[in-house]
Amino acid sequence: PVPVRLVIGDGPSGGDAERIDPGTLLGSSGEWYNPPLRTAAFGVSDPEAERLDRLSHAGIESTVSALASAWQLSADTCLLSVTPAWDERTAVDLLVALASGARFWSVAPGEFPSGSAGTEQLDLLGVRWIRAPASFLEDLLDRGWRGASGCAAVCDLNDLTDRNTERLLGAFGELWVLFGSVEAACWSSARRIERPAERHLLAPLPNHFLSVIGPRDTLAPIGVPGIVA
């Protein structure tokens, strides 16, 4: 696993550096990691909310380490994160890039440069990993971007269909599917697929597990449909 260290200041020699829990970064990124809001939503006490935060932060570190190890980003590559607004998942993208020493670019779909200016920017920055909606990735292909074959695409499971999955598989060097249940610290599953049907085969990240919950909030037996949690 790749250790996650976010340092503010001039580093060890400057005297002002400190290690920051990744949860500190995510704490300002969305409502799920905001203890007062979560306390109100789930009716738990403040100490219980703090305990849940510690578990969530541990899960975040595990998620970041697993993705950084699997994706093998390097200092000469760039990870592009495309989301409508900064959220927990964008913050995890940033932490993965920091853990790998890679460059990081976050942009909203509507702010990405139009026409060839956008694809030229991808090549200039050395973008080799893109986590984005399938519609954004297809737009890059419609623009005639030639760098797709040397780039990995990363999509949320809920954003993929048979049609767009097949197209992305044929154009990009790799296609990864991410899934995160409500209970997870952002992502709970990451898997590279080679065929459209494989996108439904979830593989839990290290230190994570996936369960199928039945109608009575109990583990569903094999063959019985339920909710993945």
Side-chain angles (χ1 to χ4, degrees), residues 38-56:
R38 187 162 60 186
T39 298
F42 290 90
V44 297
S45 63
D46 287 339
E48 178 65 8
E50 293 177 0
R51 186 185 73 83
L52 292 174
D53 276 343
R54 288 195 297 273
L55 292 175
S56 294

Side-chain angles (χ1 to χ4, degrees), residues 20-217:
I20 295 182
D21 189 313
T24 303
L25 177 61
L26 278 94
S28 60
S29 302
E31 295 184 357
W32 177 249
Y33 294 101
N34 186 312
L37 289 174
R38 187 162 60 186
T39 298
F42 290 90
V44 297
S45 63
D46 287 339
E48 178 65 8
E50 293 177 0
R51 186 185 73 83
L52 292 174
D53 276 343
R54 288 195 297 273
L55 292 175
S56 294
H57 297 176
I60 294 163
E61 290 207 17
S62 178
T63 297
V64 169
S65 294
L67 293 179
S69 297
W71 293 352
Q72 293 294 302
L73 295 170
S74 60
D76 60 345
T77 61
C78 178
L79 187 157
L80 171 61
S81 176
V82 182
T83 51
W86 184 279
D87 59 12
E88 293 93 339
R89 299 182 179 191
T90 315
V92 167
D93 291 339
L94 170 60
L95 290 170
V96 170
L98 287 170
S100 308
R103 295 186 295 273
F104 178 74
W105 180 18
S106 176
V107 64
E111 298 175 355
F112 188 77
S114 60
S116 60
T119 55
E120 289 173 359
Q121 188 75 358
L122 295 177
D123 296 332
L124 179 64
L125 292 176
V127 173
R128 294 295 178 265
W129 287 85
I130 304 177
R131 188 186 68 78
S135 58
F136 177 88
L137 297 170
E138 289 194 284
D139 178 63
L140 292 180
L141 300 180
D142 292 338
R143 299 188 195 191
W145 184 44
R146 297 181 179 180
S149 60
C151 182
V154 184
C155 285
D156 190 319
L157 169 64
N158 296 319
D159 197 33
L160 293 173
T161 65
D162 285 340
R163 188 199 63 80
N164 61 26
T165 302
E166 186 169 2
R167 185 183 185 192
L168 296 177
L169 281 170
F172 284 86
E174 298 180 18
L175 178 59
W176 285 72
V177 178
L178 298 178
F179 172 79
S181 63
V182 174
E183 299 81 4
C186 191
W187 302 117
S188 52
S189 172
R191 187 173 190 270
R192 180 184 177 184
I193 66 170
E194 297 181 353
R195 293 184 294 274
E198 293 179 350
R199 71 181 188 275
H200 297 295
L201 301 177
L202 303 178
L205 292 166
N207 295 327
H208 291 70
F209 65 90
L210 298 172
S211 301
V212 179
I213 306 300
R216 297 183 179 180
D217 292 333

